[in-house]
Amino acid sequence: MTREREPLISWVLYHTFKWSLLSPMLHTYFRIKIHGVEKIPQKGPVLVVSNHASYFDPPIVSNCVRRPVAYMAKEELFKVPLLAQIIKIYGAYPVSRGTADRNAIRAALECLDKGWAVGVFLEGTRTPDGRITDPKKGAALIAAKAKVPFLPVSLWGTDKILQPGSAIPHAVSITVRIGKLIDPPNSTSKSELEAVTQKCATVINEMHDLGR
């Protein structure tokens, strides 16, 4: 039976880090605006899908949806003793290079079964302007197998956080928009996975086009 939410220790650590460091930084340094928080389910498994333009996107998404979000991470990170324990508590799950798709889907399904919100970048990689142009069907397949809804999230402005030639994050304005839940596919047929994937991409891009 699927659990209603992530482990308590992960929830406590998430909120400790969020309110002591991440949230103050986002509101003062990045001047973040968040729209649609009332649409976020605060318990039960959900698949958070978003656009992706910066290495900062995972913690920003997690902060804005107000609950821990599990993301995949390189297998090598789990071989570092202290770091491995910390990222596991935060919900990271390991994926081996070369078999990322298969392992990522299996690990994401396990996290959802434990009550986590699982984060997936719809394009699978960063894009220069933050818009989704080539969405992948992996998120739809996960949602279909787990029978969980999508929570679409749009990140605007994160593509400008790191500028070429500079290692220091720029104090740019960021806007996060959260959309209504989208039902999962009824089957794993290619046509249905593609249709739902495109629906998620369209919703996210439309929110992104609203700008600041």
Side-chain angles (χ1 to χ4, degrees):
M1 181 180 295
T2 301
R3 299 178 189 174
E4 282 298 302
R5 66 175 315 119
E6 65 285 333
L8 178 61
I9 186 173
S10 299
W11 187 87
V12 171
L13 186 58
Y14 161 80
H15 281 283
T16 300
F17 179 68
K18 170 186 170 77
W19 295 113
S20 64
L21 178 63
L22 189 56
S23 188
M25 180 184 70
L26 289 175
H27 284 89
T28 57
Y29 191 72
F30 291 118
R31 305 183 301 280
I32 193 168
K33 288 183 179 180
I34 309 171
H35 304 275
V37 292
E38 71 280 357
K39 301 166 187 172
I40 306 168
Q42 285 304 299
K43 64 179 182 178
V46 64
L47 196 63
V48 181
V49 289
S50 70
N51 56 327
H52 186 27
S54 168
Y55 292 118
F56 289 81
D57 291 345
I60 291 174
V61 171
S62 294
N63 178 86
C64 294
V65 301
R66 300 184 176 182
R67 59 181 293 190
V69 178
Y71 281 97
M72 66 177 174
K74 293 187 297 183
E75 185 181 44
E76 291 81 359
L77 297 178
F78 291 81
K79 297 178 181 178
V80 182
L82 181 58
L83 178 62
Q85 296 303 315
I86 294 174
I87 62 178
K88 281 180 182 178
I89 291 175
Y90 272 101
Y93 52 90
V95 177
S96 303
R97 292 179 179 177
T99 57
D101 290 343
R102 184 175 65 253
N103 286 358
I105 290 173
R106 184 184 303 115
L109 290 172
E110 291 175 357
C111 287
L112 289 168
D113 192 58
K114 295 175 182 177
W116 282 86
V118 170
V120 176
F121 295 118
L122 209 54
E123 189 139 351
T125 187
R126 287 171 293 133
T127 59
D129 59 359
R131 297 192 88 259
I132 299 170
T133 58
D134 184 24
K136 304 300 188 293
K137 299 190 296 292
L141 180 59
I142 293 170
K145 288 179 174 290
K147 296 180 174 57
V148 299
F150 302 93
L151 180 68
V153 175
S154 165
L155 304 171
W156 181 91
T158 64
D159 56 301
K160 299 178 179 63
I161 292 177
L162 290 178
Q163 301 291 336
S166 175
I168 300 175
H170 283 235
V172 299
S173 297
I174 296 172
T175 300
V176 176
R177 299 182 189 276
I178 300 161
K180 296 179 181 178
L181 291 175
I182 298 173
D183 292 334
N186 293 317
S187 73
T188 57
S189 69
K190 182 179 179 181
S191 61
E192 188 155 2
L193 294 181
E194 288 179 344
V196 175
T197 297
Q198 191 55 55
K199 180 177 181 179
C200 290
T202 298
V203 168
I204 293 170
N205 281 335
E206 286 178 348
M207 291 191 294
H208 185 269
D209 290 345
L210 293 173
R212 179 62 172 170

